[in-house]
Amino acid sequence: MPRNSPLAIFALLALLLSLATPAGAQDESAVFKQAKTDYAWLLEHPKAQKVPSNWQVLADRFARVYKSDPNGPLAPKAMYWTARIHSVAFFRFKQQSDLNEAVDLYRRLSKRFPKSPLADDAQFKIARLYEKTGDLKRAYVEYLRVTMNHPNGDMVAETRRRLDVLERELAPKPAQTGAKTNPGEASVAGGTAPDPKASTSPLISVTQVKHWSTPTYTRVVAALDRPVPYTANLLKSNLSVNKPRRLYVDLRGARLADSVKETVPIQDGLLLRARAGQFNPSTVRMVLDIKHLASYKVFTLDNPFRVVVDCFGKVVKGHAKTGKLKVHKVKRGRAQQDPPELGLAAALGLKLRRIVLDPGHGGKDQGCSHGRLKEKDITLDIALRTAPILAKTLGC
């Protein structure tokens, strides 16, 4: 066998990998460090890179690290490197399974370890993979997830640059009429002049602004065609110009549909009204005029995409006749409490008919394990025990 043949190089790599003891038998950091060393070796040998098994062996090495301790300190790094190996292998060998594995691992990392410094990197990698494979619409949505789920991450600046590029790529192309126009002169078809306020970017429509109210809880929802990035801020009252305390949410890359009312009266004791308007050509601003507010949180829901503002009032503690109010102060922004004294269904006036329980784990991701006990079995058992209780107490 020639000394530098691919098979010889593969045999050498296999020998190097076989010298390392499995993750369960030695320190995980040593296994992780050795796997990175093997990756560097592979990058220095172009012929070895042409052997698919070399990449799979490396991916398996990193995978063993996080599988041996799914919640350990090295788990996020090991998942990231496993996904990275699969993504590189995909572009080299064009196997769809490698792409699927890379996306799945990056997404699990981002969701399972949201506080990890790699969480935003993983979400960015998902978007980048879709962009490189030509699925620009999917990539645009995944980039938006970076700005929405990791607004303080170090990938936000680069993400916004990619969003700007994709907005230009996805913008509708002007119709080709065959008629020549002078520079600066607009082409008019059918006698209708183009709207000078129209944006060249694919703006997302805000199709509805609605609310639900109780004496201690109000939810305001902006419904959109597709996901958009947003920011929220709380403004102090300015009585000199008759302006109450206000909470506003800016929806970037959006336009207000003609059917949406610009002012929605609320007057429920917490909020006076909700107002929506086109703040600038590419931003819709939703403003909540506040009467009394203890805390609030802003988040998104999918299918369809909605930006939700939950406002919480003062909660009465003890006997109602005492008249004493106790306020639970929550940090501005994302309050971590449920609507007080009311379940969400009651607060929204819904008549629930079906509740879906998703135990999580299963398939390749079985969760943590101890002996023969697996996390996926525990979560399934809890769901099976919970279902009849909900059915009996709620009639669902």
Side-chain angles (χ1 to χ4, degrees):
M1 177 185 302
R3 183 177 180 182
N4 293 325
S5 69
L7 290 177
I9 293 176
F10 169 63
L12 176 59
L13 178 59
L15 176 62
L16 290 172
L17 296 178
S18 66
L19 294 176
T21 309
Q26 68 168 306
D27 183 69
E28 294 170 7
S29 61
V31 178
F32 181 76
K33 183 178 179 179
Q34 182 62 48
K36 291 182 67 175
T37 300
D38 295 337
Y39 177 69
W41 181 93
L42 185 59
L43 294 183
E44 294 175 357
H45 295 78
K47 290 185 178 179
Q49 296 174 26
K50 297 179 181 179
V51 182
S53 299
N54 287 356
W55 298 95
Q56 186 60 54
V57 168
L58 273 178
D60 291 343
R61 290 283 306 287
F62 283 113
R64 283 201 296 270
V65 173
Y66 75 77
K67 287 181 179 178
S68 66
D69 188 3
N71 296 315
L74 283 176
K77 291 182 180 180
M79 292 181 74
Y80 186 86
W81 274 87
T82 309
R84 180 176 178 178
I85 298 298
H86 279 293
S87 64
V88 174
F90 167 74
F91 288 108
R92 177 171 289 276
F93 305 110
K94 306 302 181 183
Q95 294 294 319
Q96 184 66 32
S97 59
D98 279 317
L99 176 62
N100 295 341
E101 190 70 19
V103 171
D104 179 63
L105 283 165
Y106 281 135
R107 198 176 301 283
R108 283 162 54 194
L109 191 166
S110 182
K111 290 184 176 180
R112 188 165 184 171
F113 303 99
K115 295 183 179 180
S116 168
L118 292 174
D120 60 326
D121 296 73
Q123 181 58 51
F124 181 88
K125 289 289 188 180
I126 295 173
R128 194 75 175 127
L129 282 172
Y130 283 122
E131 183 179 1
K132 286 184 176 181
T133 55
D135 193 345
L136 301 188
K137 291 183 179 180
R138 186 82 174 266
Y140 189 87
V141 172
E142 298 296 346
Y143 278 129
L144 287 176
R145 294 183 189 277
V146 178
T147 63
M148 290 186 291
N149 298 335
H150 311 282
N152 299 318
D154 57 4
M155 298 305 299
V156 170
E158 179 61 24
T159 296
R160 286 174 176 164
R161 284 191 286 269
R162 299 313 309 162
L163 284 170
D164 290 340
V165 171
L166 290 185
E167 284 178 359
R168 292 192 292 270
E169 291 288 332
L170 295 171
K173 301 297 186 292
Q176 300 294 328
T177 61
K180 295 182 178 180
T181 58
N182 295 325
E185 180 180 310
S187 173
V188 180
T192 303
D195 183 359
K197 297 182 180 179
S199 171
T200 58
S201 299
L203 298 179
I204 311 304
S205 293
V206 178
T207 58
Q208 192 176 37
V209 175
K210 53 185 178 180
H211 79 282
W212 297 269
S213 297
T214 74
T216 57
Y217 166 73
T218 300
R219 167 169 287 190
V220 181
V221 178
L224 299 99
D225 290 337
R226 296 193 301 278
V228 299
Y230 69 89
T231 56
N233 286 285
L234 188 64
L235 301 177
K236 296 180 179 180
S237 61
N238 189 345
L239 300 180
S240 62
V241 291
N242 198 29
K243 285 186 178 292
R245 192 177 176 209
R246 304 173 308 286
L247 169 65
Y248 73 85
V249 180
D250 282 346
L251 308 171
R252 190 169 71 88
R255 66 177 184 86
L256 194 65
D258 295 336
S259 58
V260 177
K261 294 182 179 179
E262 293 188 355
T263 301
V264 179
I266 297 179
Q267 295 288 354
D268 60 0
L270 297 184
L271 302 179
L272 299 172
R273 67 190 68 83
R275 297 179 282 122
Q278 198 71 43
F279 181 68
N280 62 42
S282 62
T283 302
V284 170
R285 172 167 289 185
M286 181 172 67
V287 181
L288 308 183
D289 292 330
I290 298 168
K291 185 175 183 180
H292 297 292
L293 186 65
S295 63
Y296 71 93
K297 63 179 178 179
V298 184
F299 58 97
T300 62
L301 296 173
D302 294 321
N303 300 320
F305 182 79
R306 289 148 289 164
V307 176
V308 181
V309 183
D310 277 352
C311 300
F312 304 96
K314 297 178 180 180
V315 184
V316 178
K317 293 291 182 179
H319 198 277
K321 293 183 179 180
T322 62
K324 296 182 179 180
L325 298 178
K326 184 176 181 180
V327 178
H328 286 275
K329 293 185 178 180
V330 183
K331 291 183 179 180
R332 286 174 46 180
R334 299 176 180 269
Q336 299 300 317
Q337 64 182 62
D338 292 326
E341 297 185 342
L342 282 174
L344 183 58
L348 302 183
L350 300 178
K351 295 181 179 179
L352 289 178
R353 298 180 182 275
R354 176 175 299 172
I355 297 174
V356 178
L357 303 179
D358 181 7
H361 297 297
K364 295 181 179 179
D365 182 12
Q366 299 184 10
C368 301
S369 61
H370 180 73
R372 299 179 62 183
L373 190 62
K374 298 179 180 178
E375 186 176 355
K376 68 166 188 172
D377 297 328
I378 297 176
T379 56
L380 178 60
D381 182 64
I382 292 173
L384 293 175
R385 293 169 184 262
T386 304
I389 297 174
L390 292 177
K392 181 178 179 180
T393 56
L394 301 180
C396 296

